[in-house]
Amino acid sequence: MFEQENVELVNYLKKTGVLKSKALEKALLKTPRHLFVPEDLQKSAYKDYPLHIGRGQTISQPSTVAIMTQFLGTKSGQKILEIGTGSGWQSALLSRLVGRRGKIFTMEIIPDLAESAKKNIEKLNIKNVFVIVGNGSLGLEKEKPFDRIIITAAAPAIPEALKNQLKTGGRLVVPVGSRYAQKMTVIKRTRKGFLSEELPSYFAFVPLRGKEGFEE
Ligand code: SAM
């Protein structure tokens, strides 16, 4: 079901120049997005826009997911932390990229969403994604350090605590800005310190909650 629609979405992302990575292309084809959205929205799952997943939250737009994932530069065997599990689709894609020897820890602050994300991920028989219910704005101290960290919610500034949970050579990708518009930012940890670069275009993510986010 929806196989042709998935191929068309992948072709669209390639044609628009967003999807450049062969590994991500394969991962997208193996990780059907309709399995991660509510049943009444499945028909829209292969359009390039975000969709509601309940509790005022969204599954990100496919082109945004492709941009962030490629910016992250994931490799086989890596240990990754995601803040903002949402539907679980981003985690499932990352699990394909790290392979069996890699691990994905993903944190979700809304317990119901974490529960349905777990179920979504199980549908694909993925075993290397660990969904944790909790506030991820300060990261996951007990599992640090990480090769990669991805924050799929808007942060008002680069979260210091998370930056410090990166390995040397590691990368953090996070949309940084106001509640309404953010710039995609990548931070690299080198032996000499941290380097940061941002994309010129703006994105609109739901807010990161908690200490390093937008406190309610
Ligand atoms: N990556 C998701 C996917 O593939 O569907 C989309 C994430 S959605 C845009 C952002 C998610 O971040 C929401 O589910 C929200 O509840 C969660 N969130 C916001 N602040 C958080 C925090 N401090 N810790 C953990 N999750 C948080």
Side-chain angles (χ1 to χ4, degrees):
M1 210 164 69
F2 295 114
E3 240 171 277
Q4 187 52 32
E5 285 86 344
N6 198 6
V7 170
E8 280 164 21
L9 172 65
V10 164
N11 287 340
Y12 166 80
L13 295 174
K14 279 163 68 179
K15 206 172 95 193
T16 51
V18 169
L19 179 58
K20 299 183 182 85
S21 152
K22 260 276 163 218
L24 179 57
E25 180 180 335
K26 273 195 185 162
L28 284 163
L29 292 172
K30 272 172 66 184
T31 315
R33 189 169 183 250
H34 73 272
L35 299 179
F36 292 81
V37 303
E39 231 172 276
D40 58 329
L41 293 178
Q42 286 193 339
K43 272 200 229 131
S44 308
Y46 297 96
K47 305 277 183 234
D48 190 25
Y49 43 70
L51 293 170
H52 289 287
I53 54 170
R55 301 302 196 118
Q57 305 302 322
T58 52
I59 178 172
S60 303
Q61 189 170 341
S63 51
T64 303
V65 170
I67 289 168
M68 291 184 88
T69 308
Q70 290 171 140
F71 233 8
L72 205 60
T74 309
K75 296 195 183 97
S76 165
Q78 286 184 330
K79 182 172 170 185
I80 301 189
L81 174 64
E82 179 191 30
I83 309 302
T85 313
S87 68
W89 190 49
Q90 173 79 72
S91 305
L93 288 168
L94 290 171
S95 93
R96 308 292 198 196
L97 296 172
V98 298
R100 270 194 225 127
R101 288 182 305 111
K103 279 185 186 165
I104 316 296
F105 294 90
T106 179
M107 297 186 74
E108 174 53 56
I109 202 164
I110 302 175
D112 289 1
L113 289 184
E115 207 37 58
S116 54
K118 263 190 214 168
K119 289 192 184 131
N120 293 340
I121 291 164
E122 276 165 16
K123 288 180 211 162
L124 291 169
N125 204 24
I126 289 172
K127 307 275 187 220
N128 60 346
V129 173
F130 305 93
V131 181
I132 295 148
V133 180
N135 184 343
S137 98
L138 296 178
L140 189 59
E141 198 57 33
K142 69 175 171 68
E143 291 292 343
K144 71 169 191 189
F146 299 96
D147 296 290
R148 301 286 187 262
I149 301 178
I150 178 169
I151 306 176
T152 59
I158 295 168
E160 284 299 311
L162 280 147
K163 217 169 99 173
N164 289 318
Q165 293 180 14
L166 278 178
K167 282 184 191 169
T168 301
R171 271 185 221 177
L172 160 67
V173 174
V174 51
V176 177
S178 70
R179 273 178 185 265
Y180 310 103
Q182 307 89 36
K183 281 192 169 174
M184 200 56 73
T185 309
V186 58
I187 293 100
K188 294 182 184 166
R189 184 170 205 168
T190 71
R191 252 176 276 144
K192 290 187 181 153
F194 294 95
L195 301 172
S196 121
E197 112 186 49
E198 58 184 32
L199 279 185
S201 47
Y202 282 94
F203 293 80
F205 276 81
V206 294
L208 178 72
R209 291 160 58 184
K211 210 158 182 321
E212 300 251 26
F214 294 91
E215 292 209 64
E216 287 101 305

